[in-house]
Amino acid sequence: MSFEERRIWIYLAVAVLVPAAYLVVVLARTGGTNVADLAYQPLLLTAVGVSIAATIVLNMVSAALWPKGAYQKDPRDKEIDRRGEYVGFIAMSSLTVVPFGLALLEWPHFWIANTIYLAYVAAAVASSTVKLVAYRRGF
């Protein structure tokens, strides 16, 4: 497995696990109250921060453990990255219609912020999946 493919696996794992943990924490704090009344902002910002920090740290650990080819991209890596980012962009662009509609309908900020976060997560998963399929099957 190349360094770039390993980086994608790390990104995908963080993009799935951190939002799942965020969801569990949010649901645990509802306690029978309306979820839109929660103080979700610190939790959401923490989830975003943990995602960024975890991705950086895990990539550094990966580079330290398997230094061969670390941070070197060949033309195939660049093309796979380009295609994956393109799919992620389309997913993110499409899914932001939902929070936009919620904002226009004056829904609570909780739902708007979390649908934006969900769009980000879906884009990250779509982008990573396309890249991993390209690494495994080619294009």
Side-chain angles (χ1 to χ4, degrees):
M1 179 184 310
S2 71
F3 181 76
E4 287 301 317
E5 187 177 353
R6 194 174 305 115
R7 286 184 60 212
I8 297 165
W9 278 110
I10 290 169
Y11 184 65
L12 179 61
V14 170
V16 170
L17 295 176
V18 172
Y22 168 73
L23 178 65
V24 168
V25 171
V26 166
L27 291 177
R29 290 189 178 189
T30 56
T33 62
N34 186 358
V35 72
D37 295 334
L38 280 176
Y40 68 94
Q41 298 92 341
L43 295 173
L44 186 56
L45 290 174
T46 300
V48 171
V50 167
S51 293
I52 293 168
T55 302
I56 291 170
V57 169
L58 290 173
N59 279 316
M60 291 172 62
V61 169
S62 173
L65 292 176
W66 298 282
K68 184 180 177 184
Y71 302 112
Q72 296 175 351
K73 288 185 175 183
D74 61 20
R76 181 175 178 255
D77 293 330
K78 290 177 183 176
E79 182 62 23
I80 289 171
D81 186 61
R82 189 185 69 76
R83 289 183 185 203
E85 292 302 318
Y86 181 71
V87 170
F89 172 76
I90 291 171
M92 183 72 183
S93 299
S94 303
L95 294 173
T96 52
V97 170
V98 176
F100 182 68
L102 293 176
L104 291 177
L105 295 172
E106 299 182 359
W107 276 52
H109 292 161
F110 174 86
W111 294 110
I112 296 168
N114 282 288
T115 53
I116 292 171
Y117 186 53
L118 181 62
Y120 160 74
V121 170
V125 170
S127 172
S128 299
T129 302
V130 166
K131 291 176 187 178
L132 289 172
V133 168
Y135 271 110
R136 295 295 170 161
R137 295 187 182 172
F139 47 76

